[in-house]
Amino acid sequence: QDMTEKEILKMELDQLKKEVKNERQMVSKTGKEIKEYIESMAGEDPLLKGVPEDKNPFKEKGGCTIS
């Protein structure tokens, strides 16, 4: 890198000053909220439910038959 040690330390300090302002919450609370959200949205998740064939943009449009 072309940065001096002083510039690197200043950059790290600036980043830490930004991070200290973030509101923090306990994982025991947020983890439960995330789990509840995921479970409530599971019915609409195409990775779990699948995509209908008529709405699948990656489905091959035509086929090739060899006779």
Side-chain angles (χ1 to χ4, degrees):
Q1 292 184 6
D2 294 335
M3 297 176 70
T4 65
E5 184 178 352
K6 183 178 178 182
E7 291 172 326
I8 293 171
L9 290 172
K10 183 182 180 328
M11 209 167 66
E12 289 177 1
L13 181 62
D14 291 342
Q15 181 63 33
L16 289 172
K17 285 179 181 179
K18 291 177 187 176
E19 289 179 17
V20 79
K21 295 176 187 174
N22 290 341
E23 180 182 341
R24 302 183 187 274
Q25 295 183 1
M26 296 183 70
V27 173
S28 58
K29 179 180 181 237
T30 57
K32 183 179 177 184
E33 291 172 355
I34 291 170
K35 180 182 175 198
E36 289 170 356
Y37 174 78
I38 290 171
E39 289 173 348
S40 72
M41 300 301 287
E44 300 172 28
D45 189 334
L47 296 175
L48 296 174
K49 188 173 135 183
V51 178
E53 290 292 323
D54 60 332
K55 294 184 180 181
N56 186 349
F58 301 103
K59 181 182 173 194
E60 292 185 24
K61 303 297 180 207
C64 176
T65 54
I66 300 175
S67 55

